[in-house]
Amino acid sequence: EADEKPADEAPASGAEAGAPGAGAPTAGEEEEGEQAPAEPATPSIDVAGLDQRILALPLSEGNYDNLQCTEKALLFVEETPGGERILKSFDFEEREAKTLKEGVQGFTVSGDGKSLLTFGKGAFAITDAKGGDPKPLAIDSVRVRVEPAQEWPQILREVWRIERDYFYDEKMHGVDWPAMWERWQAFLPHVQHRGELTLLIQEMIGELCCGHEYVGGGEYPEGPESISVGLLGADLALDAGRWRIARILRGQNWNPGLRAPLTEPGVDAREGDYLLAVNGQPLDATMNLHRAFEYTADKQVELTLSATPDGAEPRTVRVVPVGSDFSLRTLSWIEANRRRVDELSGGRLAYVYMPNTGEGGRAAFDRDFYSQLDREGLILDERYNGGGQVADYVIETLSRDLLSYWMNRERWLGFSPAGVLDGPKVMIINENAGSGGDWMPWAFQRQKIGPLVGTRTWGGLVGISGYPPLLDGGMVTAASFGVMDAAGEWAVENVGVAPDHEVIEWPRDVIAGRDPQLERAVELALEALETWPKGAAPAYHAPAKR
């Protein structure tokens, strides 16, 4: 009598009656009396209908990665909503998932499928594929003697190979690449330091005259200890023999990356105050200001302040300096630009700054664009844009046309598509914007969204992907794909994107506190507003009386 299975229990893969290959000998199996072939049989894959033989495992929805198979199980890492990573095994016979090890960052299965190398929290361990007791590996005790001078020729040769095999142009930009090896390997006997090898690599890949050719990392001799210095997020100036707080940067103290030490609640520090002492140590103009803040980043510091340089009526405040104030200074510049645009346009224009075309840039665009849809026009500033990905989402959003309004009996509620700013748009560019910061103004210009103002962009619009590491842990990239326009012609690389209105930032204007590029962009947007076609929004009609 045949065993019966519950209707809701999924059959084992490959065991169904009449399944392709069911009951037939697998590759390598022989009929009785036949001898095994001398060479292993080539695996045969029945491609026809393969998509219909894919089955879902009885697992709940989750975040799974690093899927690897052993003979009888599927191993994977599940990441919980709290960020914990758990190594699990789904047994094909028992048809259920079991936890093998918690706190695992990743794992690798041995060639025979019987053992696992797991790693996480800075530790490595060996265990069997069924999740037995792990045996920690004492990685810290491993010592390898290295003769760098013997590694350097191989590293240079590997760099040459990576460029040969990954560079997007098989003609290597017209460069005789074998000849470049002969030219630059001749310097190897004179290399005495990893820094000199890096310079040699830079010179060799520089022959390609292409952007995104980077080199870095590698093993260097230990140098002097790096000394961290805490910063107050402020400009300090010498005045009357003291350090005076000339400007306090404002941040977003709810955001850990934009914490402004002197504006946090409870810190009574004001612009114009004089800094008399740090942690009780007197400070005056004859002393190095930064030395007083050595090793104070993210640690509480006591400052003695006074409204006058003679130290009358001193007061003590406690602050926690930051390790870098770059983000605070960037935010200060952005907000100053926003205020300037608002002032010059009388509140009619929105201002959006995109520092890159990666995650941070997209977040900045979403936050600042959608919150200013009530404005009549837009200044999109992408100066110093560090690139990232292709910002087609931004271009698509700025290209939207208004299709319909929505209203209730009190007021207009909005319009469709959502996120339409129906008004003139101007983009500001400069020579320090590149990669994705090249593509975005190129597409902005081609889509005729609006004019470009500023100076020609960097001109580095090729892409990079993944590459093998070098012997000593260093890295090198090879431009692995270039950008073409719709006609199939190479675009932007080594050329950049030229503005429609060139405006150079001369030092004299910048020192005087002006921003000629921003001012010209606002001027163009306001001129366009004078003739901008405004749709006739339907008037509101009260319902007829009954």
Side-chain angles (χ1 to χ4, degrees):
E1 183 173 328
D3 293 334
E4 294 185 357
K5 291 187 176 183
D8 58 351
E9 182 177 339
S13 177
E16 306 89 323
T26 59
E29 291 183 348
E30 302 81 38
E31 296 293 341
E32 186 176 354
E34 293 183 354
Q35 293 183 353
E39 297 293 332
T42 302
S44 176
I45 300 176
D46 185 5
V47 177
L50 182 62
D51 62 322
Q52 298 303 306
R53 301 197 298 276
I54 299 173
L55 301 178
L57 297 181
L59 298 173
S60 59
E61 291 184 359
N63 188 1
Y64 305 119
D65 61 50
N66 200 7
L67 277 65
Q68 300 187 45
C69 278
T70 62
E71 185 178 358
K72 296 183 179 181
L74 170 68
L75 303 179
F76 57 91
V77 173
E78 178 181 6
E79 183 169 335
T80 67
E84 182 184 10
R85 293 175 61 81
I86 304 171
L87 173 60
K88 291 190 173 183
S89 171
F90 179 84
D91 191 288
F92 294 131
E93 294 181 353
E94 298 181 7
R95 312 282 292 169
E96 64 178 1
K98 299 178 180 179
T99 296
L100 298 186
K101 185 176 175 60
E102 297 180 351
V104 172
Q105 187 65 27
F107 70 94
T108 299
V109 179
S110 63
D112 60 8
K114 297 180 180 180
S115 301
L116 303 178
L117 171 65
T118 64
F119 53 93
K121 298 180 180 179
F124 290 80
I126 294 288
T127 183
D128 61 66
K130 296 181 180 180
D133 294 333
K135 299 178 180 178
L137 296 180
I139 299 297
D140 291 343
S141 64
V142 175
R143 296 291 183 270
V144 178
R145 183 172 181 82
V146 173
E147 295 292 344
Q150 295 181 19
E151 294 184 342
W152 293 336
Q154 192 280 337
I155 291 174
L156 185 66
R157 186 62 175 176
E158 186 70 7
V159 168
W160 183 88
R161 291 191 193 102
I162 289 173
E163 301 299 330
R164 178 196 64 187
D165 297 340
Y166 286 86
F167 195 69
Y168 78 100
D169 178 15
E170 61 182 7
K171 295 182 179 180
M172 306 299 286
H173 277 190
V175 175
D176 185 345
W177 198 235
M180 293 305 100
W181 169 254
E182 296 300 328
R183 171 182 293 178
W184 294 105
Q185 65 88 24
F187 290 90
L188 277 169
H190 307 287
V191 172
Q192 301 296 316
H193 189 275
R194 184 50 165 89
E196 294 178 353
L197 177 67
T198 298
L199 176 60
L200 185 56
I201 293 172
Q202 290 171 336
E203 294 292 340
M204 184 173 72
I205 65 178
E207 298 278 6
L208 296 169
C209 295
C210 189
H212 292 74
E213 291 284 318
Y214 303 131
V215 58
E219 291 182 332
Y220 283 79
E222 292 187 8
E225 178 189 4
S226 176
I227 298 176
S228 65
V229 176
L231 298 171
L232 297 176
D235 292 337
L236 285 88
L238 290 173
D239 182 24
R242 295 283 189 184
W243 288 101
R244 180 177 57 85
I245 301 176
R247 180 173 68 132
I248 295 176
L249 301 175
R250 269 63 179 173
Q252 297 172 353
N253 291 326
W254 67 89
N255 184 341
L258 289 170
R259 185 174 62 82
L262 296 184
T263 68
E264 290 191 285
V267 178
D268 182 18
R270 311 157 198 165
E271 292 180 350
D273 280 345
Y274 292 86
L275 181 57
L276 307 179
V278 178
N279 283 335
Q281 299 297 315
L283 180 67
D284 60 32
T286 65
M287 303 174 186
N288 187 312
L289 171 66
H290 297 295
R291 187 170 185 176
F293 289 92
E294 290 180 356
Y295 302 108
T296 62
D298 299 318
K299 298 179 181 177
Q300 192 177 81
V301 173
E302 186 176 88
L303 306 180
T304 304
L305 303 175
S306 173
T308 57
D310 59 6
E313 299 182 7
R315 65 185 187 279
T316 299
V317 300
R318 291 179 175 83
V319 301
V320 180
V322 293
S324 170
D325 62 5
F326 177 80
S327 296
L328 286 175
R329 294 189 178 278
T330 300
L331 178 64
S332 177
W333 179 74
I334 294 170
E335 293 305 315
N337 289 344
R338 196 187 317 280
R339 290 191 297 270
R340 184 63 174 153
V341 168
D342 196 64
E343 174 189 336
L344 291 174
S345 70
R348 302 177 71 187
L349 299 178
Y351 173 82
V352 175
Y353 178 71
M354 287 185 63
N356 54 57
T357 56
E359 183 178 350
R362 291 193 301 270
F365 178 81
D366 284 347
R367 180 186 63 242
D368 295 338
F369 176 75
Y370 291 104
S371 62
Q372 299 181 83
L373 291 178
D374 58 332
R375 301 301 172 99
E376 299 176 58
L378 169 69
I379 306 298
L380 180 59
D381 192 347
E382 72 117 42
R383 291 175 291 182
Y384 310 100
N385 188 289
Q389 286 84 44
V390 171
D392 51 350
Y393 158 68
V394 173
I395 298 302
E396 184 275 330
T397 300
L398 298 181
S399 301
R400 293 172 180 167
D401 292 324
L402 175 65
L403 297 180
S404 69
Y405 293 97
W406 295 91
M407 85 174 176
N408 62 8
R409 61 186 293 146
E410 286 83 22
R411 60 184 176 84
W412 291 106
L413 293 180
F415 28 73
S416 291
V420 173
L421 200 160
D422 186 25
K425 303 169 183 68
V426 181
M427 181 182 288
I428 313 177
I429 61 177
N430 70 1
E431 66 278 9
N432 291 306
S435 191
D438 279 306
W439 190 92
M440 188 165 65
W442 176 79
F444 188 91
Q445 195 175 55
R446 290 181 68 86
Q447 291 294 96
K448 296 180 172 55
I449 297 173
L452 302 178
V453 174
T455 51
R456 185 185 296 268
T457 61
W458 172 45
L461 191 51
V462 293
I464 53 178
S465 47
Y467 310 92
L470 303 178
L471 185 61
D472 66 348
M475 56 76 65
V476 69
T477 64
S480 54
F481 48 89
V483 172
M484 290 177 153
D485 61 21
E489 299 293 333
W490 296 114
V492 182
E493 180 66 30
N494 281 335
V495 176
V497 181
D500 299 295
H501 301 268
E502 183 179 50
V503 179
I504 299 174
E505 283 191 318
W506 297 110
R508 179 180 59 188
D509 294 327
V510 176
I511 292 171
R514 291 188 54 212
D515 188 335
Q517 295 173 340
L518 184 72
E519 293 167 6
R520 180 59 174 149
V522 171
E523 181 182 338
L524 289 169
L526 291 177
E527 288 176 0
L529 273 176
E530 297 301 317
T531 57
W532 191 263
K534 294 291 183 181
Y540 175 78
H541 296 286
K545 294 182 178 180
R546 294 184 181 276

